[in-house]
Amino acid sequence: MPRTPHRTVRRSLAAAVSLIGLLAVGVTPAGAAQGSGPTAVVSMGDSYISGEAGRWQGNSLTTTGSRNGTDRAWTGSAYDPSRVYGTTAANGCHRSDSAEVKSAGGIASALVNLACSGATTKNVFRASNGGVAYKGEAPQADQLAAVAASHDVETIVLSIGGNDLGFADIIRSCATDYIVWYSYCHDDQQDEVDAKIDTAMANVGKSVDEIRAVMSGAGYAASDYRIVLQSYPSPIPRASENRYGESGWSRTNTGGCPFWNLDSDWARDSLVPQVSNRLKGVAASKGVQFMDLRDMLQGREVCAKTSKLVSATVPASAATSEWARWIDPNETQGPIQENVHPNHYGQLALGRCLALIHARQTGNFSCRNTAGTGASGMYLTAVS
């Protein structure tokens, strides 16, 4: 997005004032021109955009070695998650090398990932306005301030609200009800979501406000950048699209999708659309773009009939493998926090979605995949 003369002058003045203050206390700034550096696209929020589960290329029952080529952390003699998550393997933010913003291609000079697995809206807010540090890192809005000062931020993409609603608890409860209690979870969990969703969406809206406040403080006009709020994909399929029967232990021990049919249909066709529609409403009320991801994993979910497990005879492939991490409650392959997130293939696809919407200056879009293709088959459909 081209910079206007007024924007350049305004930021230059802001930078000059900032520079004087820094020199007065003997600090040498990394960049003297606030907001006039290299272009940047920034991702903020939670695990669905941080890159959680980017370690995995599909799912395999093999628990040793490279797990039939699915485990990108395999060094040939040991497992090193930092090969995928870098330094954030240690604190658990799990910003993978294939995270959405990192897989978006050459859409900007800098692709900056501030998101952290497990983050809630309060971890996005500025510390001065109720924000809370998380996993040893400052609130994301405060981190954004530094990026906005040193870069020309064009687009900020935000995924947040899922942890406010307790997505991890929902998955855990539904899996436990299938494996242990032989009961349904959707009725109780729907009540929990309904009780939390108004507050959660209000805080998503506040997150957008916090981002805008940071950008304004860095000298940006509203027209100088865009915010894209995205929704969540369903990592599990509808009951009719599950390749394993409801009875027996195949869904648990083989597929890694321990959910009853009614719970699967509720998650895919009620919960995910409910959250998506509410996030779309927040985007409309705040005047930001919306990217609907509810169907992004269609046919690529864990246990989907149209996808396959990786094995010694079925290689990992973006065309045939699952694009979401399965449930591994015994942690035989990596930590539980990676479960039911878009994996390496899913993240490459998300990156393509981001690149596509980055090229659209206005409008709301749904991003979907094309069966039998990799990330190159992602496409946008306009939504009203």
Side-chain angles (χ1 to χ4, degrees):
M1 189 180 298
R3 185 185 299 113
T4 66
H6 291 293
R7 175 175 170 183
T8 303
V9 171
R10 179 176 62 254
R11 297 222 212 136
S12 295
L13 289 173
V17 172
S18 177
L19 177 60
I20 292 171
L22 290 169
L23 292 176
V25 294
V27 177
T28 301
Q34 183 174 7
S36 62
T39 58
V41 172
V42 181
S43 61
M44 302 177 65
D46 55 28
S47 56
Y48 272 74
I49 199 168
S50 74
E52 183 67 84
R55 172 177 174 176
W56 303 96
Q57 299 180 132
N59 300 306
S60 171
L61 292 170
T62 301
T63 60
T64 59
S66 68
R67 292 73 138 86
N68 295 128
T70 62
D71 192 348
R72 299 172 61 231
W74 176 245
T75 66
S77 60
Y79 301 107
D80 180 10
S82 69
R83 288 165 61 95
V84 175
Y85 300 123
T87 58
T88 65
N91 72 357
C93 279
H94 283 188
R95 299 187 186 104
S96 77
D97 55 1
S98 58
E100 182 175 323
V101 72
K102 298 295 185 179
S103 296
I107 60 175
S109 298
L111 303 173
V112 183
N113 188 359
L114 302 180
C116 183
S117 182
T120 63
T121 51
K122 67 183 180 182
N123 305 128
V124 173
F125 306 160
R126 292 168 296 168
S128 62
N129 203 23
V132 177
Y134 186 58
K135 295 186 177 179
E137 298 184 358
Q140 292 177 34
D142 292 329
Q143 296 181 54
L144 174 64
V147 179
S150 60
H151 292 75
D152 177 10
V153 177
E154 297 180 334
T155 301
I156 300 162
V157 57
L158 174 67
S159 169
I160 202 69
N163 291 318
D164 295 65
L165 293 171
F167 274 3
D169 291 335
I170 292 172
I171 294 295
R172 186 180 303 110
S173 295
C174 290
T176 300
D177 284 352
Y178 180 88
I179 297 170
V180 179
W181 303 115
Y182 304 98
S183 62
Y184 297 125
C185 73
H186 62 271
D187 43 3
D188 290 341
Q189 293 306 311
Q190 184 64 64
D191 290 341
E192 292 283 341
V193 170
D194 290 342
K196 296 175 180 177
I197 197 162
D198 286 345
T199 298
M201 293 302 117
N203 284 331
V204 172
K206 181 179 176 180
S207 297
V208 173
D209 292 340
E210 290 290 286
I211 290 170
R212 282 197 167 127
V214 166
M215 298 301 287
S216 177
Y220 291 72
S223 60
D224 290 339
Y225 67 98
R226 284 184 291 148
I227 299 174
V228 176
L229 178 64
Q230 66 183 43
S231 65
Y232 296 91
S234 174
I236 60 174
R238 298 176 179 89
S240 63
E241 297 166 351
N242 196 310
R243 63 177 178 262
Y244 302 104
E246 184 178 31
S247 61
W249 291 100
S250 293
R251 287 190 180 179
T252 301
N253 296 334
T254 305
C257 57
F259 304 104
W260 295 110
N261 285 345
L262 287 179
D263 292 338
S264 298
D265 287 345
W266 165 74
R268 180 66 181 86
D269 290 328
S270 293
L271 176 62
V272 170
Q274 177 187 14
V275 175
S276 293
N277 290 336
R278 290 297 300 269
L279 287 169
K280 179 183 175 183
V282 173
S285 68
K286 296 299 179 180
V288 302
Q289 279 186 287
F290 176 64
M291 184 161 63
D292 193 342
L293 299 176
R294 74 181 75 185
D295 297 318
M296 176 256 167
L297 291 174
Q298 175 62 38
R300 314 302 189 102
E301 307 98 333
V302 176
C303 294
K305 286 181 178 178
T306 50
S307 295
K308 301 176 182 178
L309 289 179
V310 179
S311 69
T313 58
V314 180
S317 164
T320 61
S321 300
E322 295 164 333
W323 284 11
R325 185 64 180 154
W326 62 6
I327 290 183
D328 179 19
N330 296 320
E331 296 187 272
T332 59
Q333 300 183 35
I336 288 176
Q337 75 177 69
E338 293 177 319
N339 293 352
V340 291
H341 287 86
N343 63 20
H344 176 67
Y345 294 134
Q347 288 170 24
L348 295 179
L350 285 168
R352 179 60 181 162
C353 292
L354 175 55
L356 291 171
I357 200 168
H358 178 73
R360 305 289 189 98
Q361 297 295 309
T362 59
N364 300 326
F365 298 91
S366 170
C367 193
R368 304 181 182 190
N369 75 79
T370 301
T373 69
S376 63
M378 302 307 294
Y379 64 96
L380 298 181
T381 301
V383 295
S384 58

